[in-house]
Amino acid sequence: MTVQSQASNPGHICIIMDGNGRWARQRLMPRSFGHRQGVDATRRCVEFFAGAGVDYLTLFAFSSENWKRPEEEVSNLMELFIRSLQRYTDELHEKGLRIRFIGNRDRFADKLRQQIEQTELKTVDNRGMTLIIAANYGGHWDIVNAARELATRVQDGEISIAQIDDRQFASGLALGEVPSPDLFIRTGGEQRISNFLLWQLAYTEFYFCDCLWPDFDDREMQLALDEYHRRQRRYGKTGDQVEVPPGC
Ligand code: FPP
């Protein structure tokens, strides 16, 4: 009997891109310098995973808790998001990527909201990898929204309480019909999920590395994939049940 490992690359990878600030501080530079380097790492990562045949890549760019950072850092980040979208939308579009955003847009400035809408609209028909950017996103916010949506559908008589199941619930989440992530990566050495895709991470494989986000290069990404390939995904079954005879 052989242990069934993951023969194919993950279909959906989600990443907490952590460590920009520390990367900059180690170089006696302001945190904003780290975020700018973080954009370069993001670009490399999108290219690498699109090339690896990944269907969905979800990146945690700004959490609903990140508003608590110093005002100057928040406004630098917002500016950086606008400039990055202006700079890279055409390039990603030409490569056939679809770009989507999840999170609450209400608090963003009009300029950023408009840029997000433009980017989504431009790439909506693309059939390459879908890049999903979580911005002002929080797992609790997402779950509460889905609960509200279900409650409204029940109130409107569209479905009954008895009809509420996993699938109905998940359809109200920001990722909707997108398959749950196969692999979760967090750089920067912390081992927590920080209110990221709480519902969807139920059976996801977790990979934590010490590498700071600006240093997350092709070698580090390959290490994450190699580790994923070694994992045995059991979904609640026993190891014996998911083992397969050699040659199968
Ligand atoms: C975490 O590092 C990083 C962020 C909160 C911002 C992430 C944003 C980028 C990498 C830019 C990506 C841009 C787009 C358009 C998707 P940290 O500041 O928490 O680092 P620290 O833990 O070392 O302080």
Side-chain angles (χ1 to χ4, degrees), residues 83-108:
R83 272 189 281 119
S84 304
L85 289 173
Q86 286 170 340
R87 186 160 171 203
Y88 295 117
T89 295
D90 285 349
E91 180 185 318
L92 297 174
H93 176 55
E94 275 154 30
K95 289 182 174 155
L97 267 76
R98 181 174 176 199
I99 306 172
R100 281 183 54 187
F101 284 78
I102 56 170
N104 186 350
R105 299 175 193 190
D106 296 351
R107 209 166 152 184
F108 290 147

Side-chain angles (χ1 to χ4, degrees), residues 59-174:
L59 303 177
F60 207 0
F62 193 84
S63 79
S64 31
E65 289 74 32
N66 284 152
W67 295 106
K68 296 176 197 153
R69 291 187 174 206
E71 213 178 302
E72 193 191 342
E73 178 166 350
V74 171
S75 73
N76 278 338
L77 273 170
M78 295 297 144
E79 262 306 308
L80 187 64
F81 293 148
I82 295 174
R83 272 189 281 119
S84 304
L85 289 173
Q86 286 170 340
R87 186 160 171 203
Y88 295 117
T89 295
D90 285 349
E91 180 185 318
L92 297 174
H93 176 55
E94 275 154 30
K95 289 182 174 155
L97 267 76
R98 181 174 176 199
I99 306 172
R100 281 183 54 187
F101 284 78
I102 56 170
N104 186 350
R105 299 175 193 190
D106 296 351
R107 209 166 152 184
F108 290 147
D110 288 349
K111 195 172 169 195
L112 178 54
R113 250 199 326 263
Q114 282 160 11
Q115 183 59 54
I116 287 174
E117 283 163 16
Q118 263 178 36
T119 298
E120 286 187 324
L121 194 64
K122 183 158 203 166
T123 62
V124 69
D125 292 324
N126 290 344
R127 289 288 162 260
M129 184 176 82
T130 302
L131 171 64
I132 302 168
I133 299 174
N136 194 19
Y137 175 87
H140 288 173
W141 166 85
D142 201 2
I143 289 171
V144 168
N145 266 352
R148 279 205 187 116
E149 188 178 309
L150 271 182
T152 308
R153 289 174 64 202
V154 169
Q155 200 174 34
D156 294 348
E158 222 180 282
I159 57 167
S160 67
I161 290 177
Q163 281 174 302
I164 297 175
D165 58 11
D166 284 33
R167 203 179 55 81
Q168 294 281 358
F169 195 91
S171 71
L173 294 165

Side-chain angles (χ1 to χ4, degrees), residues 16-25 31 34-43 46 59-63 66 69 73 77 80-85 88 101 131-135 186-188 190 192 212-214:
I16 297 189
M17 311 178 285
D18 197 10
N20 293 344
R22 277 166 286 163
W23 188 91
R25 287 291 183 219
R31 292 174 58 82
H35 293 314
R36 287 202 300 277
Q37 294 298 313
V39 174
D40 290 345
T42 306
R43 187 166 168 237
V46 169
L59 303 177
F60 207 0
F62 193 84
S63 79
N66 284 152
R69 291 187 174 206
E73 178 166 350
L77 273 170
L80 187 64
F81 293 148
I82 295 174
R83 272 189 281 119
S84 304
L85 289 173
Y88 295 117
F101 284 78
L131 171 64
I132 302 168
I133 299 174
R186 180 174 188 145
T187 62
E190 310 288 351
R192 53 178 171 257
L212 303 176
W213 180 249

Side-chain angles (χ1 to χ4, degrees), residues 21 81 188 228 231:
F81 293 148
Y228 175 77
R231 300 281 173 91

